[in-house]
Amino acid sequence: MYRMRCLTALRELALPQGYIGAGFLRNAIWDVLHNKLSSTPLNDVDVIYFCRQSEKERDAELERRLHDMMPEANWQVKNQARMHTLHGHNPYESCEQAISYWIEKETCVAVKLNELGRVEVLAPFGLQANFASTLSINPRYPRREIFNTRVKQKDWLKIWPQLTLHY
């Protein structure tokens, strides 16, 4: 199972607050709700972690290590301790706070496999919207233009036609 292999590869790195976020979990939920027989292909696997001392070059090194473990995945690694600078925010305190600023409410989710082999979910807004088949602008940091562009470019309403838009 592709997703479980991704989670296992991530766990091998033992990153601080290491999760796979965004479409990895969001799309899986929407696929189930739409009774898809196979998973919608992922453009990438978004790995997040939180380390104040980590330099940007570390992200590329982690991508290479993940690629060595699982080359069929398009790994994208981002240290959330640096992401506040993109939005002009005060420094984030955790991955949970960082992902709470992502564009869509349903995208503000992440998952990891813990040391006991159990799945842990990070969802600052909960998962209710994901299971309600909605696609919502993030109420914490609403950026309507970017939201509308992403909805169009990613074809979410065609891939998952039961989704309803919420602004």
Side-chain angles (χ1 to χ4, degrees), residues 31 34 36 40 154-163:
D31 282 349
H34 282 77
K36 291 193 176 263
T40 301
K154 294 186 176 278
D155 269 343
W156 287 326
L157 299 175
K158 289 180 185 168
I159 298 167
W160 298 283
Q162 294 168 20
L163 294 178

Side-chain angles (χ1 to χ4, degrees), residues 10-81:
L10 173 64
R11 184 178 60 183
E12 292 295 314
L13 296 183
L15 294 173
Q17 296 183 45
Y19 290 87
I20 300 176
F24 188 83
L25 178 57
R26 180 203 61 217
N27 293 8
I29 293 170
W30 288 349
D31 282 349
V32 169
L33 293 173
H34 282 77
N35 298 312
K36 291 193 176 263
L37 298 177
S38 60
S39 296
T40 301
L42 295 168
N43 295 327
D44 54 31
V45 179
D46 294 302
V47 171
I48 62 172
Y49 70 104
F50 196 88
C51 181
R52 292 196 195 282
Q53 289 76 40
S54 181
E55 298 297 324
K56 190 172 183 174
E57 296 76 26
R58 175 89 167 125
D59 295 356
E61 175 191 328
L62 293 166
E63 284 177 10
R64 282 190 297 278
R65 289 178 60 194
L66 287 163
H67 182 268
D68 288 346
M69 286 187 257
M70 204 174 150
E72 66 273 25
N74 179 20
W75 297 99
Q76 303 290 316
V77 178
K78 299 277 189 269
N79 181 359
Q80 299 302 294

Side-chain angles (χ1 to χ4, degrees), residues 104-120:
E104 307 84 25
K105 185 177 178 180
E106 295 77 9
T107 302
C108 299
V109 294
V111 64
K112 72 176 181 178
L113 196 61
N114 71 19
E115 305 79 33
L116 300 174
R118 294 193 177 121
V119 174
E120 291 183 18

Side-chain angles (χ1 to χ4, degrees), residues 16-19 21-22 47-52 78-105 107-110 122-125 138 140-143:
Q17 296 183 45
Y19 290 87
V47 171
I48 62 172
Y49 70 104
F50 196 88
C51 181
R52 292 196 195 282
K78 299 277 189 269
N79 181 359
Q80 299 302 294
R82 289 191 308 272
M83 298 309 287
H84 68 284
T85 59
L86 294 178
H87 306 296
H89 296 157
N90 290 327
Y92 299 143
E93 297 297 320
S94 65
C95 276
E96 183 170 11
Q97 183 184 20
I99 72 171
S100 75
Y101 289 101
W102 290 356
I103 304 296
E104 307 84 25
K105 185 177 178 180
T107 302
C108 299
V109 294
L122 187 65
F125 296 108
N138 183 335
R140 183 169 192 184
Y141 189 45
R143 295 173 283 170

